[in-house]
Amino acid sequence: MTDKRRRIALLSHCIANQNAKVADYALCPGAVSPLLDLLRAEGFLIQQMPCPEMTFLGVSRWWQVREQYDTPGYHHHCRRVARSVADILEHHLREGCDDLVLIGVDGSPSSGVGVTDHGPDWGGRPEDRPVTHVPGKGVWIGILEQVLAERGLPRPRMIGVGLELAGFEMVTELRRLTAFLKAGDDDGR
C-alpha cells in the first residue's frame, strides 16, 4: 500500500543550489543531494524557496552577519519574496497538505531556524572578524513566518540543518532530519 499523504517541504534555496552561497561557504558543487534524497524518500514534494540574500545583493556578495541584514531595505525585500512563497504555498495547500515542513540553514543570517550568526562589530570592508552563533531565527525566516501568519496560512514545522555550523557532519544531520520528518508521522497528520 502506498502512502497517499501530501507532504510539502519548503526548502532554503542554497540546499538545492550551493552555487547561490557566498564564496567559500558551499559544501558541494551543486545540491546537497543526501538531504534531497531523504526528502524524496520520505515522500515530500520539494518547493525550493528563493534566496533573498542573492536576490538582494547578487551572487558575488560577501559574507555578512544578521545585524547587517537587519535593515529596513532588506526587510522590505524579504516581505516581497515571502509573499511570492505564500502565493505558491496557497496553491499547494488548495490541493491538500498533510505535513508542511520548512528546512532552513542554521548559522545563516537569513535562513537560520534555530541558530543565526551574530557580529555587532561587523561593517565596512570584508575581513576576518569574530562571529558567534546565537539562538534565534535569521531575518528571512522571521519575516516569512510573519507573512504566512498574516495570510492565515499554517505555520510549517521547522528545522535548520547546520550546514554553516562548526563541526557539521552530514551523517549526524541526516539522522536528526530523519527523526524530525518521522515526528510528523506521529502527530496525527
Side-chain angles (χ1 to χ4, degrees):
M1 182 172 185
T2 59
D3 185 0
K4 295 292 184 185
R5 296 179 322 142
R6 185 160 168 81
R7 304 178 93 182
I8 300 170
L10 297 174
L11 190 67
S12 284
H13 186 89
C14 60
I15 294 172
N17 178 13
Q18 288 277 286
N19 296 310
K21 301 288 287 174
V22 170
D24 301 329
Y25 275 72
L27 294 177
C28 54
V32 182
S33 298
L35 196 146
L36 297 176
D37 293 343
L38 173 61
L39 289 170
R40 285 188 201 102
E42 291 294 326
F44 279 88
L45 169 68
I46 299 169
Q47 180 62 59
Q48 181 184 19
M49 296 184 291
C51 172
E53 289 182 23
M54 188 174 68
T55 57
F56 190 67
L57 293 173
V59 74
S60 297
R61 68 195 182 281
W62 58 82
W63 55 97
Q64 295 192 62
V65 291
R66 189 181 194 292
E67 288 82 358
Q68 291 170 296
Y69 282 113
D70 198 6
T71 66
Y74 190 63
H75 282 231
H76 177 75
H77 177 72
C78 286
R79 288 190 70 75
R80 186 175 51 238
V81 174
R83 286 192 296 270
S84 72
V85 171
D87 290 343
I88 292 166
L89 185 56
E90 279 181 337
H91 171 77
H92 287 303
L93 293 174
R94 278 194 296 269
E95 298 176 9
C97 180
D98 301 302
D99 193 10
L100 175 62
V101 301
L102 183 147
I103 302 170
V105 179
D106 274 346
S108 166
S110 289
S111 295
V113 169
V115 177
T116 189
D117 60 10
H118 174 67
D121 296 332
W122 279 49
R125 190 176 295 278
E127 59 185 63
D128 286 334
R129 293 179 189 210
V131 63
T132 57
H133 289 102
V134 297
K137 290 183 173 55
V139 173
W140 156 241
I141 296 298
I143 290 172
L144 178 61
E145 274 187 310
Q146 291 171 5
V147 169
L148 295 179
E150 289 165 6
R151 296 269 289 263
L153 296 171
R155 183 185 184 279
R157 294 188 305 122
M158 294 189 197
I159 189 170
V161 292
L163 299 173
E164 295 189 4
L165 299 177
F168 170 79
E169 293 180 0
M170 183 65 72
V171 172
T172 303
E173 285 298 284
L174 290 174
R175 274 195 297 261
R176 199 170 69 81
L177 182 57
T178 299
F180 169 81
L181 296 174
K182 298 272 186 213
D185 295 337
D186 300 331
D187 64 6
R189 295 179 200 199

